[in-house]
Amino acid sequence: MGTVVAALPTLGLVAVAVALSYYEKLGLEGDIGVAVVRSFVQLAAIGYAIDYVFGLKSLAAVSLLLAGMVLFAAQTSARRARDVPRAFLVVALAVGVAAVATLGLLLALGIVPASARYLIPLGGMVIGNSMNASSLTMLRIRDDLAGQRPKVEAALALGATSRQAVAPILKTALRGALVPLIDSTKTTGIIFLPGAMVGMIIAGADPLEAVRLQIVVLYMLLGSVSIAAMIVALLSYRSFFTARHQLRVVTRAGA
């Protein structure tokens, strides 16, 4: 516990954020406080859980931990899009498939060893980024269907299937989910150094080894996020249509 507590002096930086929020009357002091406490508790808990799993040296334990992370990610994403039918199941499937496909390929190609030390942090990156992409895709589809309802219904009236009528919306949603990651990948190494690489260098690893792992991470995330976003797009839009290709009632967030 002492190792974790040693990070608490950095709360001074959080105090700066709180002070700025108070000075500018942003009203974010409470949110900052909740975020700080939750992140500390969650990171400490997952740190001890990972340390315990490392001690077990069991791939079954690693699989259970990653499965739990997938379910929690699906629950979090479903809360964001609570008015999207079957959001939990869609995200759980999308994130789960993305994680299995990505990590499975890395293992099959021998890029990373089958050990908890690699699978848990890499799996966490895959699951977290896939969750965010899934949420963005679902919310964009929902909002665009609500905003473009007359256009979609006009296409349906002219004989288009639901898939054809919603195709432009799916394209926009997928671009919205993928472009931020693509842009950050383009600027990696020039504008900023990613967390995995920085962490390894600070820990004393060879910079070239850190670069190798970071390249693996970047390409891994591009693949996993693309898989998750595509699955969510293809599954979630169907829930807004009936079996007769009629558009159900769709409302924007807060409407």
Side-chain angles (χ1 to χ4, degrees):
M1 190 67 178
T3 302
V4 176
V5 173
L8 289 180
T10 54
L11 285 174
L13 299 174
V14 176
V16 173
V18 172
L20 288 174
S21 174
Y22 179 78
Y23 180 77
E24 294 292 342
K25 297 180 173 59
L26 302 178
L28 297 176
E29 299 89 336
D31 288 337
I32 293 173
V34 171
V36 168
V37 173
R38 282 191 59 176
S39 62
F40 180 83
V41 173
Q42 290 169 181
L43 285 171
I46 195 63
Y48 286 112
I50 292 174
D51 186 60
Y52 176 73
V53 172
F54 279 5
L56 293 177
K57 293 182 171 58
S58 168
L59 288 181
V62 173
S63 300
L64 285 175
L65 180 59
L66 292 176
M69 293 167 69
V70 168
L71 294 177
F72 185 77
Q75 183 185 40
T76 301
S77 190
R79 270 203 307 267
R80 296 179 188 171
R82 59 174 58 91
D83 48 351
V84 177
R86 300 191 299 276
F88 176 84
L89 293 176
V90 169
V91 177
L93 177 62
V95 175
V97 170
V100 170
T102 307
L103 296 178
L105 182 61
L106 293 180
L107 291 173
L109 295 177
I111 296 174
V112 298
S115 69
R117 187 168 297 278
Y118 283 88
L119 294 179
I120 292 176
L122 292 179
M125 291 181 188
V126 167
I127 292 167
N129 282 272
S130 298
M131 176 194 70
N132 291 333
S134 297
S135 296
L136 288 174
T137 303
M138 279 196 305
L139 295 178
R140 186 62 182 266
I141 290 173
R142 180 201 65 191
D143 290 347
D144 284 358
L145 279 175
Q148 300 180 36
R149 185 182 185 93
K151 184 186 297 186
V152 173
E153 290 185 328
L156 294 172
L158 292 173
T161 64
S162 57
R163 177 69 174 84
Q164 292 169 331
V166 84
I169 291 176
L170 296 185
K171 181 178 179 180
T172 300
L174 288 171
R175 285 183 58 85
L178 297 177
V179 165
L181 181 58
I182 293 172
D183 286 346
S184 68
T185 302
K186 288 179 182 177
T187 56
T188 297
I190 298 178
I191 296 178
F192 74 97
L193 298 178
M197 180 177 171
V198 170
M200 289 186 66
I201 292 175
I202 291 176
D206 183 343
L208 293 181
E209 178 62 21
V211 168
R212 184 193 73 83
L213 182 59
Q214 186 60 61
I215 290 173
V216 170
V217 169
L218 287 175
Y219 299 166
M220 172 190 74
L221 293 181
L222 276 175
S224 62
V225 165
S226 299
I227 292 171
M230 181 62 70
I231 292 175
V232 166
L234 294 178
L235 293 181
S236 63
Y237 90 86
R238 299 172 188 273
S239 62
F240 292 107
F241 292 88
T242 67
R244 296 176 177 272
H245 298 279
Q246 297 170 316
L247 183 61
R248 302 179 192 272
V249 176
V250 186
T251 57
R252 292 176 182 266

